[in-house]
């Protein structure tokens, strides 16, 4: 098994030029060669949430969408979406409700590839450190309650600038952090807001931040990616 998972805050497909261009987001995922994508800010924020990635474009790039949307027009749960393609097969997905003052959430998806199943958790946490700590505790508890017990890979925009923040400490008690460079802002990355945490049983073959010219233009975050290898 070799599976490449990307996590990407797509900023509602609005790039550095202020234009909403969904095609750029999907082209960036193609550059990465992602088999699975955990997206943040994949829907409009207010009113009836609507996907910013048109269904015909997703189909053209080979993506299947996990059924997480709150309505027929939405792609995800509070903007968190899961896409799979190629040899990856979605076997289970669920939303995770997080305590928050503003709309926040996380999602869970089990993906089968070859003889292996991987549990993916995608999240976009609060700007407030107090709420981030509560949200990570709720997320860890929800993952522990989920059926079955495949190894987990947790990725997303955790909105934490400090290395020793309580939210990150909570995650590090459960999973090992995969060290990644800064990913925000995309034009001149200074903050490690986008992070990844892996179960000890997972063979993380490689990981990085995708920093091409297209990625710097497509969103205000650069995507991160992790490649998992197995037998």
């Amino acid at each position: 098994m070799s599976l490449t998972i990307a996590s990407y805050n797509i900023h509602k497909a609005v790039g550095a030029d202020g234009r909403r261009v969904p095609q750029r987001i999907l082209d960036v995922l193609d550059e990465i060669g992602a088999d699975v994508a955990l997206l943040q800010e994949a829907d409009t924020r207010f009113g009836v949430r609507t996907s910013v990635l048109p269904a015909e474009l997703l189909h053209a790039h080979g993506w299947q969408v996990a059924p997480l949307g709150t309505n027929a027009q939405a792609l995800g749960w509070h903007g968190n979406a899961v896409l799979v393609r190629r040899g990856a097969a979605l076997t289970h997905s669920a939303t995770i409700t997080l305590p928050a003052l503003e709309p926040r959430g996380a999602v869970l998806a089990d993906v089968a590839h070859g003889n292996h199943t991987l549990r993916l958790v995608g999240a976009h946490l609060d700007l407030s450190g107090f709420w981030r700590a509560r949200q990570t505790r709720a997320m860890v508890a929800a993952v522990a309650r989920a059926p079955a017990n495949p190894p987990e890979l947790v990725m997303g925009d955790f909105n934490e600038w400090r290395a020793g923040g309580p939210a990150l400490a909570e995650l590090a008690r459960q999973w090992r952090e995969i060290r990644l460079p800064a990913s925000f802002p995309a034009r001149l990355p200074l903050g490690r807001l986008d992070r990844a945490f892996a179960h000890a049983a997972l063979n993380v073959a490689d990981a990085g931040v995708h920093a091409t010219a297209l990625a710097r233009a497509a969103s205000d975050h650069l995507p991160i990616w992790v490649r998992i290898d197995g037998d």
Side-chain angles (χ1 to χ4, degrees):
M1 180 185 75
S2 180
L3 198 66
T4 299
I5 304 98
S7 176
Y8 195 5
N9 184 330
I10 67 172
H11 195 227
K12 304 174 189 65
V14 176
D17 55 6
R19 297 188 300 129
R20 191 190 308 277
V21 185
Q23 182 68 54
R24 291 190 295 205
I25 299 299
L26 298 172
D27 287 345
V28 169
L29 293 176
D30 285 349
E31 283 188 340
I32 295 169
D35 302 296
V36 184
L38 305 175
L39 304 182
Q40 302 89 47
E41 297 193 25
D43 298 317
T44 55
R45 185 170 175 81
F46 300 108
V48 177
R49 287 182 175 248
T50 304
S51 170
V52 299
L53 301 178
E56 60 271 19
L57 277 182
L58 290 165
H59 179 75
H61 286 259
W63 290 111
Q64 173 194 354
V65 180
L68 299 165
T70 54
N71 60 66
Q73 292 76 42
L75 195 65
W77 166 249
H78 294 300
N80 295 280
V82 180
L83 311 178
V84 299
R85 64 177 174 181
R86 291 195 279 262
L90 183 70
T91 61
H92 172 72
S93 62
T95 61
I96 299 173
T97 300
L98 300 181
L101 285 176
E102 58 177 337
R104 295 286 176 176
V107 293
L108 179 150
D110 291 350
V111 174
H113 190 263
N115 297 320
H116 299 267
T117 297
L118 174 65
R119 173 157 291 163
L120 300 170
V121 181
H124 187 191
L125 300 189
D126 206 282
L127 296 173
S128 159
F130 171 76
W131 286 101
R132 282 196 301 273
R134 295 186 63 187
Q135 287 164 357
T136 49
R137 288 194 293 271
M139 187 168 63
V140 168
V143 172
R145 292 193 302 268
N149 191 33
E152 305 97 351
L153 177 66
V154 181
M155 302 176 74
D157 175 3
F158 295 103
N159 267 320
E160 179 61 78
W161 290 83
R162 299 176 302 155
L168 299 182
E170 182 72 34
L171 292 168
R173 277 192 284 272
Q174 304 296 322
W175 303 287
R176 75 184 192 275
E177 183 171 4
I178 301 168
R179 187 74 182 179
L180 295 168
S183 58
F184 179 84
R187 285 295 183 93
L188 183 63
L190 299 172
R192 295 178 60 234
L193 304 190
D194 304 282
R195 295 173 183 258
F197 295 81
H199 188 282
L202 290 177
N203 178 17
V204 177
D206 203 0
V209 172
H210 189 70
T212 62
L214 180 60
R216 294 185 190 279
S219 172
D220 62 343
H221 284 247
L222 295 172
I224 62 174
W225 58 272
V226 174
R227 192 175 81 241
I228 302 295
D229 281 356
D231 48 24

